[in-house]
Coordinates of all heavy atoms in Angstrom, one line a residue:
M194 N -3.9 -5.8 -7.3 CA -2.6 -6.6 -7.3 C -2.0 -6.5 -5.9 O -1.5 -5.5 -5.5 CB -1.7 -6.0 -8.3 CG -0.3 -6.4 -8.1 SD 1.1 -5.5 -8.8 CE 0.9 -3.9 -8.2
P195 N -2.0 -7.6 -5.1 CA -1.3 -7.6 -3.9 C 0.1 -8.2 -4.1 O 0.3 -9.4 -4.1 CB -2.2 -8.5 -3.0 CG -2.9 -9.3 -3.9 CD -3.0 -8.6 -5.2
P196 N 1.1 -7.4 -4.4 CA 2.4 -7.9 -4.8 C 3.1 -8.8 -3.8 O 3.9 -9.7 -4.1 CB 3.2 -6.7 -5.1 CG 2.6 -5.6 -4.3 CD 1.1 -6.0 -4.3
F197 N 2.8 -8.6 -2.5 CA 3.4 -9.4 -1.5 C 2.6 -10.6 -1.1 O 2.9 -11.4 -0.2 CB 3.6 -8.5 -0.2 CG 4.4 -7.3 -0.5 CD1 3.9 -6.1 -0.5 CD2 5.8 -7.5 -0.8 CE1 4.7 -5.0 -0.8 CE2 6.6 -6.4 -1.1 CZ 6.0 -5.1 -1.1
G198 N 1.5 -10.9 -1.9 CA 0.6 -12.0 -1.6 C -0.4 -11.7 -0.5 O -0.5 -10.6 0.0
Y199 N -1.3 -12.6 -0.2 CA -2.3 -12.5 0.8 C -2.7 -13.8 1.3 O -2.9 -14.8 0.5 CB -3.5 -11.8 0.2 CG -4.4 -11.1 1.2 CD1 -4.0 -9.8 1.7 CD2 -5.5 -11.7 1.8 CE1 -4.8 -9.2 2.7 CE2 -6.2 -11.1 2.7 CZ -5.9 -9.8 3.2 OH -6.6 -9.2 4.2
P200 N -2.7 -14.0 2.6 CA -3.0 -15.3 3.2 C -4.5 -15.7 2.9 O -5.3 -14.9 2.7 CB -2.8 -15.1 4.7 CG -3.0 -13.7 4.9 CD -2.6 -13.0 3.7
E201 N -4.7 -17.0 3.0 CA -6.1 -17.6 2.9 C -6.9 -17.0 4.1 O -6.4 -16.9 5.2 CB -6.0 -19.1 3.0 CG -7.4 -19.7 3.0 CD -7.3 -21.3 3.0 OE1 -6.1 -21.8 3.0 OE2 -8.3 -21.9 3.1
V202 N -8.1 -16.6 3.8 CA -9.0 -16.1 4.9 C -9.7 -17.3 5.5 O -10.5 -18.0 4.9 CB -10.0 -15.1 4.3 CG1 -10.9 -14.6 5.5 CG2 -9.2 -13.9 3.7
E203 N -9.3 -17.6 6.8 CA -9.9 -18.8 7.4 C -11.4 -18.6 7.7 O -11.8 -17.5 8.1 CB -9.2 -19.1 8.7 CG -7.8 -19.6 8.5 CD -7.2 -20.0 9.8 OE1 -7.9 -20.5 10.7 OE2 -5.9 -19.9 10.0
G204 N -12.2 -19.6 7.5 CA -13.6 -19.5 7.8 C -14.4 -18.8 6.7 O -15.6 -18.7 6.8
V205 N -13.7 -18.4 5.6 CA -14.5 -17.8 4.5 C -14.2 -18.6 3.3 O -13.1 -18.5 2.7 CB -14.0 -16.3 4.3 CG1 -14.8 -15.7 3.1 CG2 -14.2 -15.5 5.6
P206 N -15.2 -19.5 2.9 CA -15.0 -20.3 1.7 C -14.8 -19.5 0.5 O -15.5 -18.5 0.3 CB -16.2 -21.2 1.7 CG -17.2 -20.5 2.5 CD -16.5 -19.6 3.5
G207 N -14.0 -20.0 -0.4 CA -13.9 -19.3 -1.7 C -12.9 -18.2 -1.7 O -12.8 -17.5 -2.8
V208 N -12.2 -17.9 -0.6 CA -11.2 -16.9 -0.6 C -9.8 -17.5 -0.5 O -9.3 -17.8 0.6 CB -11.4 -15.9 0.5 CG1 -10.4 -14.8 0.5 CG2 -12.8 -15.3 0.4
P209 N -9.2 -17.9 -1.6 CA -7.9 -18.6 -1.5 C -6.7 -17.7 -1.2 O -6.8 -16.5 -1.3 CB -7.8 -19.2 -3.0 CG -8.5 -18.1 -3.8 CD -9.6 -17.6 -3.0
E210 N -5.6 -18.4 -0.8 CA -4.4 -17.7 -0.7 C -3.9 -17.1 -2.0 O -4.1 -17.7 -3.0 CB -3.3 -18.6 -0.1 CG -1.9 -18.0 0.0 CD -0.9 -19.0 0.5 OE1 -1.2 -20.1 0.8 OE2 0.3 -18.6 0.5
I211 N -3.3 -15.9 -2.0 CA -2.8 -15.3 -3.2 C -1.3 -15.3 -3.0 O -0.7 -14.8 -2.0 CB -3.3 -13.9 -3.4 CG1 -4.8 -13.8 -3.5 CG2 -2.6 -13.2 -4.6 CD1 -5.4 -12.4 -3.5
A212 N -0.6 -16.0 -4.0 CA 0.9 -16.1 -3.9 C 1.5 -14.7 -4.2 O 1.0 -13.9 -5.0 CB 1.4 -17.1 -4.9
A213 N 2.7 -14.5 -3.6 CA 3.4 -13.2 -3.9 C 3.9 -13.2 -5.3 O 4.2 -14.3 -5.9 CB 4.6 -13.1 -2.9
L214 N 4.0 -12.1 -5.9 CA 4.5 -11.9 -7.2 C 6.0 -12.1 -7.2 O 6.7 -11.6 -6.3 CB 4.2 -10.6 -7.8 CG 2.7 -10.3 -8.2 CD1 2.6 -8.9 -8.7 CD2 2.3 -11.3 -9.3
K215 N 6.6 -12.6 -8.3 CA 8.0 -12.6 -8.5 C 8.3 -11.2 -9.0 O 7.5 -10.6 -9.7 CB 8.5 -13.6 -9.5 CG 8.3 -15.0 -8.9 CD 8.7 -16.1 -9.9 CE 8.5 -17.4 -9.2 NZ 8.7 -18.5 -10.2
F216 N 9.5 -10.7 -8.8 CA 9.9 -9.4 -9.3 C 9.7 -9.2 -10.8 O 9.2 -8.2 -11.2 CB 11.4 -9.0 -8.9 CG 11.8 -7.6 -9.2 CD1 11.4 -6.6 -8.4 CD2 12.5 -7.3 -10.3 CE1 11.7 -5.3 -8.6 CE2 12.9 -6.0 -10.6 CZ 12.5 -5.0 -9.8
S217 N 10.0 -10.2 -11.5 CA 9.8 -10.2 -13.0 C 8.4 -10.0 -13.4 O 8.0 -9.6 -14.5 CB 10.5 -11.4 -13.7 OG 9.8 -12.6 -13.2
E218 N 7.4 -10.5 -12.5 CA 6.0 -10.4 -12.9 C 5.4 -9.0 -12.7 O 4.3 -8.7 -13.1 CB 5.2 -11.4 -12.0 CG 5.6 -12.8 -12.3 CD 4.9 -13.8 -11.4 OE1 5.0 -13.6 -10.1 OE2 4.3 -14.8 -11.9
L219 N 6.1 -8.1 -12.0 CA 5.6 -6.8 -11.8 C 5.4 -6.0 -13.1 O 4.5 -5.2 -13.2 CB 6.6 -5.9 -10.9 CG 6.7 -6.2 -9.5 CD1 7.8 -5.4 -8.8 CD2 5.4 -5.9 -8.8
N220 N 6.1 -6.4 -14.1 CA 6.0 -5.7 -15.4 C 4.6 -5.8 -16.0 O 4.3 -5.1 -16.9 CB 7.1 -6.2 -16.4 CG 8.5 -5.6 -16.0 OD1 8.6 -4.5 -15.5 ND2 9.5 -6.5 -16.2
R221 N 3.8 -6.8 -15.6 CA 2.4 -6.9 -16.0 C 1.6 -5.7 -15.6 O 0.6 -5.4 -16.2 CB 1.8 -8.1 -15.5 CG 2.3 -9.4 -16.1 CD 1.4 -10.6 -15.7 NE 1.8 -11.0 -14.4 CZ 1.2 -11.9 -13.7 NH1 0.1 -12.5 -14.1 NH2 1.6 -12.3 -12.5
Y222 N 2.1 -5.0 -14.6 CA 1.3 -3.9 -14.0 C 1.9 -2.5 -14.2 O 1.3 -1.5 -13.9 CB 1.1 -4.1 -12.5 CG 0.4 -5.5 -12.2 CD1 1.2 -6.6 -11.9 CD2 -0.9 -5.6 -12.3 CE1 0.6 -7.8 -11.7 CE2 -1.6 -6.8 -12.1 CZ -0.8 -7.9 -11.8 OH -1.4 -9.1 -11.6
G223 N 3.2 -2.5 -14.6 CA 3.9 -1.3 -14.8 C 5.4 -1.5 -14.6 O 5.8 -2.7 -14.4
T224 N 6.2 -0.5 -14.6 CA 7.6 -0.7 -14.3 C 7.9 -0.5 -12.8 O 7.1 0.1 -12.1 CB 8.4 0.3 -15.1 OG1 8.2 1.6 -14.6 CG2 8.1 0.3 -16.6
P225 N 9.0 -1.1 -12.3 CA 9.3 -0.9 -10.9 C 9.4 0.5 -10.5 O 9.2 0.9 -9.4 CB 10.6 -1.7 -10.8 CG 10.6 -2.7 -11.8 CD 9.9 -2.1 -13.0
A226 N 9.7 1.4 -11.4 CA 9.9 2.8 -11.1 C 8.5 3.5 -11.0 O 8.4 4.7 -10.5 CB 10.7 3.5 -12.2
T227 N 7.4 2.9 -11.5 CA 6.1 3.5 -11.4 C 5.1 2.8 -10.5 O 4.0 3.3 -10.3 CB 5.5 3.5 -12.8 OG1 5.3 2.2 -13.3 CG2 6.3 4.3 -13.8
L228 N 5.6 1.7 -9.9 CA 4.7 1.0 -8.9 C 5.2 1.2 -7.5 O 6.4 0.8 -7.2 CB 4.7 -0.5 -9.3 CG 4.1 -0.8 -10.6 CD1 4.4 -2.3 -10.9 CD2 2.6 -0.5 -10.7
F229 N 4.4 1.7 -6.6 CA 4.9 1.8 -5.2 C 4.7 0.6 -4.4 O 3.7 -0.1 -4.6 CB 4.4 3.1 -4.5 CG 2.9 3.0 -4.1 CD1 2.6 2.5 -2.9 CD2 1.9 3.5 -4.9 CE1 1.2 2.4 -2.5 CE2 0.6 3.4 -4.6 CZ 0.3 2.9 -3.4
A230 N 5.6 0.3 -3.5 CA 5.6 -0.9 -2.7 C 5.0 -0.5 -1.3 O 4.3 -1.3 -0.7 CB 7.0 -1.5 -2.5
I231 N 5.3 0.7 -0.9 CA 4.9 1.1 0.5 C 4.6 2.6 0.4 O 5.2 3.4 -0.3 CB 6.1 1.0 1.5 CG1 6.5 -0.5 1.6 CG2 5.7 1.5 2.9 CD1 7.7 -0.7 2.5
T232 N 3.5 3.0 1.1 CA 3.2 4.4 1.1 C 2.8 4.8 2.6 O 2.5 4.0 3.4 CB 1.9 4.7 0.2 OG1 1.7 6.1 0.2 CG2 0.7 4.0 0.7
D233 N 2.9 6.1 2.9 CA 2.5 6.6 4.2 C 1.0 6.3 4.3 O 0.3 6.4 3.3 CB 2.7 8.1 4.3 CG 4.2 8.5 4.4 OD1 5.0 7.7 4.9 OD2 4.5 9.7 4.1
V234 N 0.6 6.1 5.5 CA -0.9 5.9 5.8 C -1.4 6.9 6.8 O -0.6 7.3 7.7 CB -1.2 4.4 6.2 CG1 -0.9 3.5 5.1 CG2 -0.5 4.1 7.5
D235 N -2.6 7.2 6.7 CA -3.3 8.1 7.6 C -4.8 7.8 7.6 O -5.2 6.9 6.8 CB -3.0 9.6 7.3 CG -3.3 9.9 5.9 OD1 -4.4 9.8 5.4 OD2 -2.3 10.2 5.2
K236 N -5.6 8.4 8.3 CA -7.0 8.1 8.4 C -7.8 8.6 7.1 O -8.9 8.2 6.9 CB -7.7 8.8 9.6 CG -7.2 8.0 10.9 CD -7.9 8.6 12.1 CE -7.4 7.8 13.3 NZ -7.9 8.3 14.6
I237 N -7.1 9.3 6.3 CA -7.8 9.7 5.0 C -7.6 8.6 4.0 O -8.6 8.2 3.3 CB -7.2 11.0 4.5 CG1 -7.5 12.2 5.4 CG2 -7.7 11.3 3.1 CD1 -6.8 13.5 5.1
N238 N -6.5 8.0 3.8 CA -6.3 6.9 2.8 C -6.6 5.5 3.4 O -6.6 4.6 2.7 CB -5.0 7.0 2.1 CG -3.8 6.7 2.9 OD1 -3.8 6.6 4.2 ND2 -2.7 6.5 2.3
I239 N -6.8 5.4 4.7 CA -7.3 4.2 5.3 C -8.5 4.6 6.2 O -8.5 4.8 7.4 CB -6.2 3.6 6.3 CG1 -4.9 3.3 5.6 CG2 -6.8 2.3 6.9 CD1 -4.9 2.3 4.5
P240 N -9.7 4.8 5.5 CA -10.9 5.3 6.2 C -11.7 4.3 7.0 O -12.7 4.7 7.6 CB -11.7 5.9 5.0 CG -11.4 5.0 3.9 CD -9.9 4.6 4.1
D241 N -11.3 3.1 7.0 CA -12.1 2.0 7.7 C -11.8 1.9 9.2 O -10.8 1.3 9.6 CB -11.9 0.7 7.0 CG -12.8 -0.4 7.6 OD1 -13.5 -0.2 8.5 OD2 -12.8 -1.5 7.0
P242 N -12.6 2.5 10.1 CA -12.4 2.4 11.5 C -12.5 1.1 12.1 O -12.1 0.9 13.3 CB -13.4 3.4 12.1 CG -14.5 3.5 11.1 CD -13.9 3.2 9.8
S243 N -12.9 0.1 11.4 CA -13.0 -1.3 11.9 C -11.7 -2.0 11.9 O -11.5 -3.0 12.6 CB -14.1 -2.1 11.2 OG -13.6 -2.4 9.9
I244 N -10.7 -1.4 11.2 CA -9.3 -2.0 11.2 C -8.7 -1.8 12.6 O -8.8 -0.7 13.2 CB -8.5 -1.3 10.2 CG1 -9.0 -1.6 8.8 CG2 -7.0 -1.7 10.3 CD1 -8.4 -0.9 7.6
T245 N -8.2 -2.8 13.2 CA -7.8 -2.8 14.6 C -6.8 -1.7 14.9 O -6.8 -1.1 16.0 CB -7.2 -4.1 15.1 OG1 -6.1 -4.5 14.3 CG2 -8.3 -5.2 15.0
W246 N -5.9 -1.3 14.0 CA -4.9 -0.3 14.3 C -5.2 1.1 13.7 O -4.4 2.0 13.8 CB -3.5 -0.8 13.7 CG -3.6 -1.4 12.3 CD1 -3.8 -2.8 12.1 CD2 -3.6 -0.8 11.0 NE1 -3.8 -3.0 10.7 CE2 -3.8 -1.8 10.0 CE3 -3.6 0.6 10.6 CZ2 -3.8 -1.5 8.7 CZ3 -3.6 0.8 9.3 CH2 -3.7 -0.2 8.3
W247 N -6.5 1.2 13.3 CA -6.9 2.5 12.8 C -6.7 3.7 13.7 O -6.3 4.8 13.4 CB -8.4 2.4 12.3 CG -8.8 3.6 11.5 CD1 -8.6 3.8 10.2 CD2 -9.6 4.7 12.0 NE1 -9.2 5.0 9.8 CE2 -9.9 5.5 10.9 CE3 -10.2 5.0 13.2 CZ2 -10.6 6.7 11.0 CZ3 -10.9 6.2 13.3 CH2 -11.1 7.0 12.2
S248 N -7.0 3.4 15.0 CA -6.9 4.5 16.0 C -5.4 5.0 16.2 O -5.2 6.1 16.7 CB -7.5 4.1 17.4 OG -6.7 3.0 17.9
D249 N -4.5 4.2 15.8 CA -3.1 4.6 15.9 C -2.6 5.5 14.7 O -1.5 6.1 14.8 CB -2.2 3.4 15.8 CG -2.4 2.5 17.0 OD1 -2.8 3.0 18.1 OD2 -2.2 1.2 16.9
L250 N -3.5 5.7 13.7 CA -3.1 6.4 12.5 C -3.2 7.9 12.8 O -4.1 8.4 13.5 CB -3.9 6.1 11.3 CG -3.8 4.7 10.8 CD1 -4.9 4.4 9.7 CD2 -2.4 4.4 10.3
P251 N -2.4 8.8 12.1 CA -2.6 10.2 12.2 C -3.9 10.6 11.4 O -4.3 9.8 10.5 CB -1.4 10.8 11.6 CG -0.8 9.7 10.7 CD -1.2 8.4 11.3
Y252 N -4.5 11.7 11.8 CA -5.7 12.1 11.1 C -5.5 12.6 9.7 O -6.4 12.5 8.9 CB -6.4 13.3 11.9 CG -7.1 12.7 13.1 CD1 -6.4 12.7 14.4 CD2 -8.3 12.2 13.1 CE1 -7.0 12.2 15.5 CE2 -9.0 11.6 14.2 CZ -8.3 11.7 15.4 OH -8.9 11.1 16.5
K253 N -4.3 13.1 9.3 CA -4.0 13.5 8.0 C -2.6 13.2 7.6 O -1.8 12.8 8.5 CB -4.3 15.0 7.9 CG -3.5 15.9 8.9 CD -3.8 17.3 8.8 CE -2.9 18.1 9.8 NZ -3.2 19.5 9.7
P254 N -2.2 13.4 6.4 CA -0.8 13.1 6.0 C 0.2 13.9 6.9 O 0.1 15.0 7.2 CB -0.7 13.5 4.6 CG -2.1 13.4 4.1 CD -3.0 13.8 5.2
V255 N 1.2 13.2 7.4 CA 2.2 13.8 8.3 C 3.2 14.7 7.6 O 3.9 15.4 8.2 CB 2.9 12.7 9.1 CG1 2.0 11.9 10.0 CG2 3.7 11.7 8.2
H256 N 3.3 14.6 6.2 CA 4.2 15.4 5.5 C 3.5 16.6 4.8 O 3.8 16.9 3.6 CB 5.0 14.6 4.5 CG 5.8 13.5 5.1 ND1 6.9 13.7 5.9 CD2 5.6 12.1 5.1 CE1 7.3 12.6 6.4 NE2 6.6 11.6 5.9
G257 N 2.4 17.1 5.4 CA 1.7 18.2 4.8 C 0.7 17.6 3.7 O -0.2 16.8 4.0
D258 N 0.9 18.1 2.5 CA 0.0 17.7 1.4 C 0.5 16.5 0.5 O 0.0 16.3 -0.6 CB -0.4 18.9 0.5 CG 0.7 19.5 -0.2 OD1 1.9 19.1 0.1 OD2 0.5 20.4 -1.0
V259 N 1.5 15.8 1.0 CA 2.1 14.7 0.3 C 2.2 13.5 1.2 O 2.3 13.6 2.4 CB 3.5 15.0 -0.4 CG1 3.4 16.1 -1.4 CG2 4.5 15.3 0.7
R260 N 2.3 12.3 0.5 CA 2.7 11.1 1.2 C 3.9 10.5 0.5 O 4.0 10.5 -0.7 CB 1.5 10.0 1.1 CG 0.3 10.4 1.9 CD -0.7 9.2 1.8 NE -1.9 9.7 2.5 CZ -3.0 10.2 1.9 NH1 -3.0 10.2 0.5 NH2 -4.1 10.5 2.5
N261 N 4.9 10.1 1.3 CA 6.1 9.5 0.7 C 5.7 8.1 0.3 O 5.0 7.3 1.0 CB 7.2 9.5 1.7 CG 7.8 10.8 1.9 OD1 7.8 11.7 1.0 ND2 8.3 11.1 3.1
E262 N 6.3 7.7 -0.9 CA 6.1 6.3 -1.4 C 7.4 5.7 -1.8 O 8.3 6.4 -2.4 CB 5.2 6.4 -2.7 CG 3.7 6.8 -2.3 CD 2.8 6.8 -3.5 OE1 3.2 6.8 -4.7 OE2 1.6 6.7 -3.2
L263 N 7.6 4.5 -1.4 CA 8.8 3.7 -1.8 C 8.4 2.8 -3.0 O 7.4 2.1 -2.9 CB 9.2 2.8 -0.6 CG 10.3 1.8 -0.9 CD1 11.6 2.5 -1.2 CD2 10.5 0.8 0.2
Y264 N 9.2 3.0 -4.1 CA 8.9 2.2 -5.3 C 9.7 1.0 -5.4 O 10.7 0.8 -4.7 CB 9.1 3.1 -6.5 CG 8.1 4.2 -6.6 CD1 8.2 5.4 -5.8 CD2 7.0 4.1 -7.4 CE1 7.2 6.4 -5.8 CE2 6.0 5.1 -7.5 CZ 6.1 6.2 -6.7 OH 5.2 7.2 -6.7
F265 N 9.3 0.1 -6.3 CA 10.0 -1.2 -6.4 C 11.4 -1.1 -7.0 O 12.1 -2.0 -7.0 CB 9.1 -2.2 -7.2 CG 8.0 -2.8 -6.4 CD1 6.8 -2.4 -6.5 CD2 8.3 -3.9 -5.5 CE1 5.7 -3.0 -5.7 CE2 7.3 -4.5 -4.8 CZ 6.0 -4.0 -4.9
D266 N 11.8 0.1 -7.5 CA 13.1 0.3 -7.9 C 14.0 0.9 -6.8 O 15.1 1.3 -7.0 CB 13.2 1.1 -9.2 CG 12.8 2.5 -9.0 OD1 12.3 2.9 -7.9 OD2 13.1 3.4 -9.9
W267 N 13.3 1.1 -5.6 CA 13.9 1.5 -4.4 C 14.1 3.0 -4.3 O 14.7 3.5 -3.3 CB 15.2 0.8 -4.1 CG 15.0 -0.7 -4.0 CD1 15.5 -1.6 -4.8 CD2 14.1 -1.4 -3.2 NE1 15.0 -2.9 -4.6 CE2 14.1 -2.8 -3.6 CE3 13.2 -1.0 -2.2 CZ2 13.3 -3.7 -2.9 CZ3 12.4 -2.0 -1.6 CH2 12.5 -3.3 -2.0
H268 N 13.5 3.8 -5.2 CA 13.5 5.3 -5.0 C 12.3 5.6 -4.2 O 11.3 4.9 -4.1 CB 13.6 6.0 -6.3 CG 12.3 6.2 -7.0 ND1 11.7 5.3 -7.8 CD2 11.4 7.3 -7.0 CE1 10.5 5.8 -8.3 NE2 10.3 7.0 -7.8
V269 N 12.4 6.8 -3.5 CA 11.3 7.3 -2.7 C 10.9 8.6 -3.3 O 11.8 9.4 -3.7 CB 11.7 7.5 -1.2 CG1 10.6 8.2 -0.4 CG2 12.1 6.1 -0.6
A270 N 9.6 8.9 -3.4 CA 9.2 10.1 -4.0 C 7.9 10.5 -3.3 O 7.1 9.7 -2.8 CB 8.9 10.0 -5.5
P271 N 7.7 11.9 -3.2 CA 6.4 12.3 -2.6 C 5.3 12.2 -3.6 O 5.5 12.4 -4.8 CB 6.7 13.8 -2.2 CG 7.7 14.2 -3.2 CD 8.6 13.0 -3.5
K272 N 4.1 11.9 -3.2 CA 2.9 11.9 -4.0 C 1.9 12.8 -3.4 O 1.6 12.7 -2.2 CB 2.4 10.5 -4.2 CG 1.2 10.5 -5.2 CD 0.7 9.1 -5.4 CE -0.4 9.1 -6.4 NZ -0.9 7.7 -6.6
R273 N 1.3 13.7 -4.2 CA 0.3 14.6 -3.7 C -0.9 13.8 -3.0 O -1.4 12.9 -3.6 CB -0.2 15.5 -4.8 CG -1.1 16.6 -4.3 CD -1.1 17.8 -5.3 NE -2.1 18.8 -4.9 CZ -1.8 19.7 -4.0 NH1 -0.6 19.8 -3.4 NH2 -2.7 20.6 -3.7
A274 N -1.3 14.2 -1.8 CA -2.3 13.5 -1.1 C -3.7 13.9 -1.4 O -4.6 13.2 -1.0 CB -2.0 13.6 0.4
W275 N -3.9 14.9 -2.1 CA -5.3 15.4 -2.3 C -5.7 15.2 -3.7 O -5.3 15.3 -4.7 CB -5.4 16.9 -1.9 CG -4.8 17.1 -0.6 CD1 -3.6 17.8 -0.4 CD2 -5.1 16.6 0.7 NE1 -3.3 17.8 0.9 CE2 -4.2 17.1 1.6 CE3 -6.2 15.8 1.1 CZ2 -4.3 16.8 3.0 CZ3 -6.2 15.6 2.5 CH2 -5.3 16.1 3.4

């Protein structure tokens, strides 16, 4: 589920644009309090070195053994990284 949508991939036939979800449509996947919108990233949870900004990532979670996540109800909570 890409809640913010995803653009059409140019030059790749059959990969259409995905429209962003409306807030009311999130309930198909869970409640806003259980679905995170944003999470901390590092080289462990983004393991693909072909991503252009991969070299900018820290090698491990910057908050020790947790990653902070922002949920769709706007609370932030730590989630165990291991």
Side-chain angles (χ1 to χ4, degrees):
M194 163 201 55
F197 302 110
Y199 203 81
E201 180 179 354
V202 179
E203 289 187 36
V205 181
V208 182
E210 175 182 357
I211 299 172
L214 290 176
K215 294 180 179 172
F216 187 77
S217 61
E218 295 175 312
L219 286 174
N220 288 325
R221 288 190 278 174
Y222 303 98
T224 67
T227 61
L228 298 170
F229 72 87
I231 300 172
T232 187
D233 289 337
V234 294
D235 51 63
K236 289 182 178 175
I237 295 171
N238 68 346
I239 306 291
D241 184 355
S243 69
I244 295 171
T245 58
W246 41 267
W247 189 81
S248 63
D249 297 331
L250 296 175
Y252 284 95
K253 58 184 182 175
V255 296
H256 301 290
D258 62 351
V259 299
R260 292 185 184 97
N261 287 329
E262 294 184 338
L263 170 68
Y264 290 79
F265 281 101
D266 70 348
W267 304 117
H268 84 276
V269 174
K272 182 175 181 183
R273 188 158 175 82
W275 316 109

